Amino acid sequence: MSILDISLIVCLGIVSFILYFHISNYILDFFGNNNLKRIKFENSIRVLIFIAPACIILFIFILYPVFETIRLSFYDKFGREFVGLYNYNWAVNDPEFKRSIFNNLAWLLVVPTLSTFFGLIIANLADRIWWGSIAKSIIFMPMAISFVGAGVIWKFIYEYRGPGDTQIGLLNAVIVSFGYEPQAWLTIPIWNNFFLMAIMIWIQTGLALVIFSAALRGIPKEMIEAARIDGASELKIFFSIIIPFLEQTILVIWTIITILVLKIFDIIFAMTNGEWQTGVLANLMYDWMFRGGGDSGRGSVLAIVIMIGVFPIMAWNIYKHKQEQKI
Amino acid sequence: MADININTVNKYYGDVHVIKDVSLDIKSQSFTVLVGPSGCGKSTMLRMIAGLEDINSGTISIDGQVVNDLPPKQRNIAMVFQSYALYPHMTVFDNMAFGLKLEKRSKDEINERVQEAARILQIEDYLHRKPKQLSGGQRQRVAIGRAITRKPKVFLFDEPLSNLDAALRVQMRVELAKLHDQLNATMIYVTHDQTEAMTLANDIVVLDEGIVSQNGSPMDLYHDPNNLFVGGFIGSPKMNFISTKITSKSSDKTEVDLMGSAKISIPKTSASASEGDAVQLGIRPEHLTVNADSDGSWESKVFVVEKLGSGTFLYLEKEGEPLVVETEGDSNIKVGDTVKVGFSASHCHLFDSSQQAFK
């Protein structure tokens, strides 16, 4: 399909939606009369007309796949025969699954925490120096790079050549110049996970930074001055006044990054493809679903595990939000 | 004891000279009000005393010690802000205890001091609440409480009542005056509201464009303004000004023309003034009389009548500007009536072309 075809289809879609809203609205008006009861009834229909397209799309592309995935998790690899809890039983006993869960947990622990931490620290410090906004733009830039693109960039940092060869990887070039042996970074189990996490932190710190910068601007200057008069040091002000003030923002950023990390796939796919014990759930799911003939049963089980993983984070977030609303 | 001496202090924001060679002596345990229109430098002055702004030249000393380079926490001051500036995530108790905790006071002492401040300000019932759950007046009490608990030598108030509604402002004003009596502390108070200045102050400092226009007791400023600015700023409603000329002058009296209808001899004089000079005659609405014998009088039509119950303000037409006259509350003068306005010579003020008062 050429670009022209695609834009034509997009335009067609937009025009048909505009027509849908206008025509259905017109028809409703056509049959309308001025009876007060009728107007109320008409308005409830109007609401339905306007939210129906969104609901239908939501149902087809989100709700239906969820139920289909749940169904498939109880069927065999071709989705034909009911096998009960067989796939779940397999997952619980699979060492790869355990490793992926462990890796995912490590990612969840390290990446959101460090991204939020760096974002907050940098946002705070950048406001105190004249080149702060330049630094912020540079730190934000990785946000514009796709995860795969970031993977390619970081491959040049972790690249390994045998001892004696010229090192084209930045990290190896540095340590060789100090007289150490070059390392194949991405193949060192456990540690290689952290090298991959560094990429995600590199990207997400920018997001945290931008949101924190905006939030910091919302802190009343007089409150900080009051704390200073009360005798608080800058460090005390940061921990006792600024951080509690930004609690909601910290929570939002932490949640956004946590959910992103739970779905992490691209970076690992591009860098190690889950080799050397770096696999996470999403990679494992992809492998089972689409590689070696595919096993929709096992793939679906893994997809459900990822989905369930998001629940507690969302629930906690909604709970916190409601608490905040109550006061 | 906490005398504050401000000695030829200057402050620039970039090229703008906001405080110009200001010198002030603020006596220990006094209630000093810095007053002036917005942009006159009064808040900057207060923030320099607090240590929130640097001083470009001159010295500020508290209790004889120069504090120019001391951070706010070492100056033994407390400040109350217009926006309250409470810590929103802390309870009222914690807000008031924050400074004491930083001073590493014992738990019992903190508890005792916070309870005492809460009792004085009648906020004992709210100690466990967050600032969000309080009304504006309650928040301002907490902000004052936060200042009291630390028992500072000097209290600084930056327009603390400006965010409150009119009724609450009057109530808090009375309570602040009471508080000053109870605590016997030095208080410096910034406001643009001359009523607050008149009612609260032992000493009023009128600032105008970065200089001290006049400094003295409220009644001094009211009866004996040094210049046109202070005359116009202090008193509500404002002093009336009438442009006129000196018709004759002696060693203790100056006679001026009263809008062509009469001449009035005022027992004030100025060495630099001479016959024929253009001057401003100033007189307060409450010193004008209606239809009564006086030192000089003038007739005009009434175009607005404001009845306040305790008094009535008549607005008279005078060369395009209104002349305001205060008369008794149950006056039956109506719009359109012509009245004879009497001037009391001893209450008249004269200001020369450089706006300085005749004495």
Side-chain angles (χ1 to χ4, degrees):
Chain A
M1 265 206 289
S2 71
I3 291 221
L4 204 73
D5 291 334
I6 295 171
S7 20
L8 201 72
I9 292 170
V10 170
C11 287
L12 216 76
I14 293 170
V15 168
S16 56
F17 262 100
I18 292 172
L19 284 178
Y20 162 77
F21 285 125
H22 273 275
I23 292 172
S24 51
N25 207 29
Y26 176 78
I27 293 172
L28 197 65
D29 284 344
F30 185 76
F31 288 111
N33 62 21
N34 290 332
N35 185 328
L36 197 67
K37 243 186 178 169
R38 270 297 291 271
I39 289 173
K40 268 194 177 165
F41 173 69
E42 267 168 36
N43 279 339
S44 59
I45 291 191
R46 215 182 298 274
V47 170
L48 273 182
I49 288 173
F50 276 81
I51 64 169
C55 283
I56 291 166
I57 290 169
L58 208 70
F59 181 79
I60 295 175
F61 293 103
I62 295 185
L63 275 184
Y64 168 69
V66 167
F67 289 119
E68 184 63 8
T69 307
I70 293 172
R71 187 189 72 81
L72 281 173
S73 71
F74 294 106
Y75 280 74
D76 70 353
K77 63 195 283 188
F78 305 110
R80 288 190 201 123
E81 244 173 86
F82 184 76
V83 293
L85 291 173
Y86 171 80
N87 291 323
Y88 288 90
N89 190 35
W90 157 81
V92 174
N93 293 310
D94 184 45
E96 278 286 311
F97 177 74
K98 277 180 201 149
R99 175 166 317 286
S100 299
I101 294 253
F102 173 78
N103 283 348
N104 254 121
L105 283 176
W107 275 78
L108 283 176
L109 219 64
V110 174
V111 177
T113 312
L114 286 185
S115 302
T116 313
F117 176 76
F118 286 134
L120 185 55
I121 298 285
I122 296 167
N124 227 293
L125 296 180
D127 277 343
R128 292 157 195 247
I129 44 175
W130 65 267
W131 47 278
S133 52
I134 302 168
K136 280 197 267 185
S137 323
I138 292 171
I139 293 163
F140 181 67
M141 243 183 251
M143 276 297 290
I145 302 171
S146 73
F147 289 171
V148 176
V152 173
I153 293 169
W154 280 73
K155 272 218 156 166
F156 286 113
I157 290 176
Y158 295 139
E159 185 68 39
Y160 168 75
R161 294 289 154 95
D165 286 349
T166 309
Q167 297 296 331
I168 65 158
L170 183 70
L171 206 53
N172 275 327
V174 170
I175 71 158
V176 165
S177 73
F178 282 111
Y180 294 99
E181 285 281 294
Q183 302 286 329
W185 301 107
L186 295 176
T187 64
I188 311 167
I190 311 292
W191 288 109
N192 50 9
N193 277 306
F194 292 98
F195 296 138
L196 295 177
M197 288 175 205
I199 304 171
M200 191 67 167
I201 294 167
W202 178 68
I203 296 172
Q204 296 304 332
T205 297
L207 173 79
L209 170 68
V210 170
I211 301 175
F212 278 129
S213 298
L216 279 175
R217 230 145 264 172
I219 294 181
K221 212 178 102 216
E222 292 193 332
M223 188 177 74
I224 303 295
E225 288 174 345
R228 214 164 275 159
I229 288 175
D230 265 345
S233 62
E234 293 301 306
L235 215 62
K236 182 81 187 167
I237 291 175
F238 183 72
F239 285 109
S240 295
I241 309 288
I242 293 179
I243 288 194
F245 193 85
L246 295 179
E247 193 197 326
Q248 278 297 304
T249 317
I250 293 172
L251 193 71
V252 166
I253 293 174
W254 190 84
T255 311
I256 292 173
I257 300 177
T258 300
I259 291 171
L260 257 168
V261 165
L262 202 61
K263 299 184 293 189
I264 184 68
F265 168 76
D266 332 36
I267 290 176
I268 291 154
F269 188 71
M271 300 287 283
T272 62
N273 196 15
E275 296 287 322
W276 307 294
Q277 306 177 16
T278 57
V280 293
L281 284 172
N283 290 85
L284 195 64
M285 178 193 81
Y286 178 84
D287 281 349
W288 280 107
M289 205 69 140
F290 303 113
R291 288 213 167 137
D295 185 330
S296 60
R298 292 181 179 182
S300 298
V301 168
L302 294 165
I304 287 167
V305 171
I306 296 173
M307 193 177 75
I308 291 170
V310 183
F311 282 162
I313 300 164
M314 294 301 278
W316 185 61
N317 211 7
I318 291 168
Y319 167 77
K320 279 297 268 189
H321 186 70
K322 277 201 173 149
Q323 287 281 306
E324 200 62 25
Q325 295 279 304
K326 250 191 236 164
I327 297 170
Chain B
M1 299 299 272
D3 290 307
I4 298 171
N5 298 299
I6 296 167
N7 192 9
T8 54
V9 163
N10 280 286
K11 173 76 185 171
Y12 297 84
Y13 285 123
D15 289 338
V16 188
H17 197 175
V18 287
I19 299 287
K20 300 163 188 164
D21 274 334
V22 168
S23 294
L24 269 180
D25 282 326
I26 293 166
K27 280 193 274 314
S28 183
Q29 302 185 351
S30 71
F31 198 121
T32 302
V33 175
L34 303 180
V35 68
S38 49
C40 71
K42 55 191 190 297
S43 280
T44 308
M45 204 61 236
L46 194 75
R47 292 168 59 82
M48 290 195 299
I49 298 170
L52 296 171
E53 298 280 351
D54 294 333
I55 301 161
N56 290 106
S57 70
T59 57
I60 292 181
S61 32
I62 299 175
D63 244 358
Q65 185 196 7
V66 175
V67 295
N68 284 22
D69 298 320
L70 286 186
K73 62 176 167 183
Q74 287 171 27
R75 297 189 181 197
N76 205 351
I77 48 143
M79 187 155 166
V80 177
F81 294 88
Q82 179 181 351
S83 65
Y84 322 132
L86 299 175
Y87 313 126
H89 56 282
M90 295 185 196
T91 61
V92 169
F93 184 94
D94 289 334
N95 261 285
M96 287 162 70
F98 187 66
L100 296 174
K101 281 179 188 159
L102 291 172
E103 287 173 11
K104 306 241 182 308
R105 305 268 174 187
S106 74
K107 252 200 172 130
D108 290 340
E109 193 184 353
I110 291 175
N111 198 27
E112 190 183 312
R113 285 217 208 167
V114 172
Q115 291 292 350
E116 192 195 339
R119 190 178 45 74
I120 294 172
L121 294 162
Q122 297 159 18
I123 49 173
E124 292 144 298
D125 295 343
Y126 318 129
L127 284 176
H128 58 280
R129 290 203 202 163
K130 295 259 177 86
K132 239 194 271 188
Q133 298 162 289
L134 303 177
S135 68
Q138 290 166 342
R139 283 182 209 185
Q140 195 52 280
R141 279 165 206 263
V142 177
I144 295 168
R146 189 169 60 181
I148 294 177
T149 50
R150 289 180 44 230
K151 299 192 175 158
K153 281 195 237 168
V154 182
F155 286 89
L156 306 174
F157 295 93
D158 191 0
E159 308 217 13
L161 308 184
S162 297
N163 281 4
L164 305 178
D165 65 57
L168 208 52
R169 207 177 302 160
V170 175
Q171 188 195 339
M172 286 299 288
R173 204 168 72 200
V174 175
E175 288 185 21
L176 275 175
K178 244 167 48 188
L179 200 65
H180 178 243
D181 282 344
Q182 274 176 313
L183 298 176
N184 270 328
T186 311
M187 291 188 172
I188 305 176
Y189 187 105
V190 160
T191 181
H192 60 262
D193 179 8
Q194 64 90 30
T195 317
E196 273 172 34
M198 291 293 283
T199 51
L200 286 171
N202 306 128
D203 251 315
I204 296 182
V205 179
V206 182
L207 284 171
D208 181 26
E209 294 182 350
I211 55 167
V212 176
S213 212
Q214 193 172 352
N215 176 7
S217 77
M219 280 303 130
D220 273 355
L221 267 59
Y222 177 80
H223 287 301
D224 200 10
N226 269 350
N227 52 45
L228 190 85
F229 178 79
V230 175
F233 195 82
I234 301 291
S236 171
K238 273 182 70 167
M239 184 186 273
N240 294 299
F241 293 111
I242 299 159
S243 301
T244 180
K245 272 195 173 67
I246 300 176
T247 52
S248 72
K249 179 186 170 214
S250 69
S251 61
D252 59 348
K253 274 188 175 142
T254 310
E255 192 184 63
V256 297
D257 178 59
L258 202 60
M259 285 169 285
S261 67
K263 288 198 172 73
I264 184 166
S265 185
I266 296 160
K268 284 183 173 129
T269 187
S270 158
S272 61
S274 56
E275 224 177 282
D277 278 2
V279 290
Q280 296 273 328
L281 169 72
I283 184 149
R284 298 188 185 280
E286 55 270 37
H287 297 144
L288 289 165
T289 53
V290 175
N291 300 334
D293 284 342
S294 62
D295 306 320
S297 67
W298 168 74
E299 273 190 6
S300 182
K301 237 184 189 172
V302 177
F303 71 94
V304 172
V305 176
E306 281 182 353
K307 282 189 179 290
L308 300 182
S310 60
T312 303
F313 293 115
L314 309 175
Y315 288 70
L316 276 61
E317 179 75 23
K318 177 242 340 173
E319 291 155 5
E321 279 173 62
L323 182 89
V324 187
V325 181
E326 188 180 345
T327 184
E328 69 270 14
D330 49 5
S331 154
N332 45 24
I333 295 167
K334 298 183 296 296
V335 173
D337 288 357
T338 300
V339 293
K340 194 171 101 180
V341 179
F343 286 69
S344 150
S346 61
H347 284 117
C348 284
H349 304 274
L350 286 175
F351 303 99
D352 63 19
S353 53
S354 58
Q355 305 195 344
Q356 295 307 305
F358 284 43
K359 294 284 178 183

